[in-house]
Amino acid sequence: MKSKSLVLFFVIFTSGCSNKVDDDYVWKPLEVTVTAYNSLSSQTDSSPNLAAWGDTLKPGMKCIAVSRDLITLGITHNTMIKIDTFPGVYLVKDKMNRRWRNRIDIYMGEDRQKAKQWGRKKLVIRYAVKKDSTTTETDTP
């Protein structure tokens, strides 16, 4: 009996949390080039696990790096991102080199082969924008 109550509480609590995110944000679509990267010094610098905003990257994290032109759209540190074909929500934790435009990099830990197999694709991402008095439901894709 106690375990059923606990399971019911968990289901209600977690479904309530996910709805809250969708209630508080508009998910704006954007087509970008999507590549992958690893926390290896050959791909970054001498501190491969330290991201541009100071976060420490660890394999298994659901995070991305963004090209700097996307930052001007409001896709900045800790922005929530949904990526076509990938389950869940990713967080922006890193910035890409200034030479890249309209691009995101999916963090793939230290698995270089997985990143190479991913390659480069054009996909639609959806990024979360906090609803405010100027945002309307028609802005939602």
Side-chain angles (χ1 to χ4, degrees), residues 1-51:
M1 181 77 155
K2 197 174 203 178
S3 64
K4 284 184 181 180
S5 297
L6 186 59
V7 170
L8 181 59
F9 171 78
F10 179 76
V11 169
I12 291 169
F13 178 76
T14 56
S15 62
C17 289
S18 63
N19 290 340
K20 180 76 172 141
V21 169
D22 287 336
D23 288 346
D24 290 344
Y25 293 89
V26 173
W27 292 91
K28 299 216 173 219
L30 180 67
E31 185 178 62
V32 295
T33 299
V34 182
T35 53
Y37 78 111
N38 308 107
S39 49
L40 303 169
S41 57
S42 61
Q43 293 181 24
T44 59
D45 58 20
S46 61
S47 302
N49 290 69
L50 185 61

Side-chain angles (χ1 to χ4, degrees), residues 43-138:
Q43 293 181 24
T44 59
D45 58 20
S46 61
S47 302
N49 290 69
L50 185 61
W53 276 292
D55 297 285
T56 299
L57 301 178
K58 297 176 187 159
M61 290 178 75
K62 291 181 118 178
C63 57
I64 65 168
V66 295
S67 57
R68 292 167 191 256
D69 61 319
L70 299 182
I71 295 170
T72 62
L73 297 176
I75 304 174
T76 186
H77 185 241
N78 285 330
T79 299
M80 294 180 292
I81 305 286
K82 293 180 182 180
I83 305 168
D84 278 0
T85 75
F86 277 75
V89 175
Y90 286 71
L91 294 177
V92 175
K93 294 290 185 184
D94 210 351
K95 301 176 204 176
M96 298 174 74
N97 186 293
R98 293 184 192 283
R99 73 177 175 261
W100 302 116
R101 297 279 178 262
N102 199 45
R103 191 172 186 149
I104 69 167
D105 247 353
I106 301 171
Y107 177 64
M108 294 194 174
E110 296 176 356
D111 191 341
R112 177 179 283 182
Q113 188 60 35
K114 184 177 176 182
K116 281 185 176 185
Q117 285 176 343
W118 172 259
R120 178 177 49 211
K121 299 174 172 49
K122 282 237 185 229
L123 292 176
V124 173
I125 64 168
R126 296 193 188 309
Y127 62 99
V129 176
K130 186 93 168 145
K131 284 184 182 177
D132 61 18
S133 59
T134 61
T135 307
T136 64
E137 287 300 315
T138 57

